[in-house]
Amino acid sequence: MARIEVHPDRVVVRLTASERALALRRRDVVISREAITSAVITDDPWVWLRGVRAFGAHLPRRLALGTWRSLGGRDFVVARSGRPAIVIDLDAPNGAETEPGWVAEYDDFARVILSTSHASELITALRLSDGDDVFTADTDD
């Protein structure tokens, strides 16, 4: 189960070893809190998938794990059936698609979709900006 950590300056999605293997990623997903433009809770994460799977695993309406590419940018998805999800839209940096080999501090996704039973607590933690506390939630509970 992936762990979601909300820090004052970033959001970290810590993937397990098996999730990293299925998503074909070497490191965790790190997004800047300044890049977040909106966050919404949905009961059906499958309607939010856009484009085609680039790297990762997909069992239709059961599991989506990895990167999806579309005209709107790259999306990272950890979605499982039977759980609500949070959809986080991001302001992707200009030129992110033209430099695919560059590894920066933050990932350059346009959207992140995460299935978690702690979606409302995660939204609340994203709204709070002061303090040095770290909010942690697991995707499976």
Side-chain angles (χ1 to χ4, degrees), residues 58-139:
H58 184 218
L59 296 171
R61 305 212 47 94
R62 295 271 187 208
L63 172 75
L65 182 61
T67 303
W68 266 249
R69 289 184 186 268
S70 71
L71 292 176
R74 295 178 346 145
D75 300 346
F76 185 77
V77 182
V78 178
R80 292 178 177 88
S81 62
R83 291 180 184 83
I86 182 170
V87 180
I88 303 171
D89 284 316
L90 304 163
D91 187 17
N94 291 336
E97 286 296 321
T98 60
E99 299 180 15
W102 177 253
V103 177
E105 181 180 3
Y106 299 114
D107 289 298
D108 58 348
F109 293 112
R111 178 180 286 170
V112 176
I113 303 171
L114 303 168
S115 288
T116 177
S117 55
H118 302 288
S120 60
E121 292 93 349
L122 186 56
I123 290 280
T124 303
L126 288 173
R127 287 184 183 160
L128 301 175
S129 61
D130 33 324
D132 292 331
D133 295 338
V134 176
F135 173 80
T136 303
D138 292 328
T139 56

Side-chain angles (χ1 to χ4, degrees), residues 4-30:
I4 306 160
E5 298 175 355
V6 179
H7 297 270
D9 60 337
R10 67 193 182 284
V11 176
V12 180
V13 181
R14 297 208 184 275
L15 302 171
T16 63
S18 60
E19 288 171 332
R20 282 187 194 167
L22 287 172
L24 298 175
R25 285 192 61 90
R26 292 185 197 157
R27 60 187 185 96
D28 297 326
V29 176
V30 181

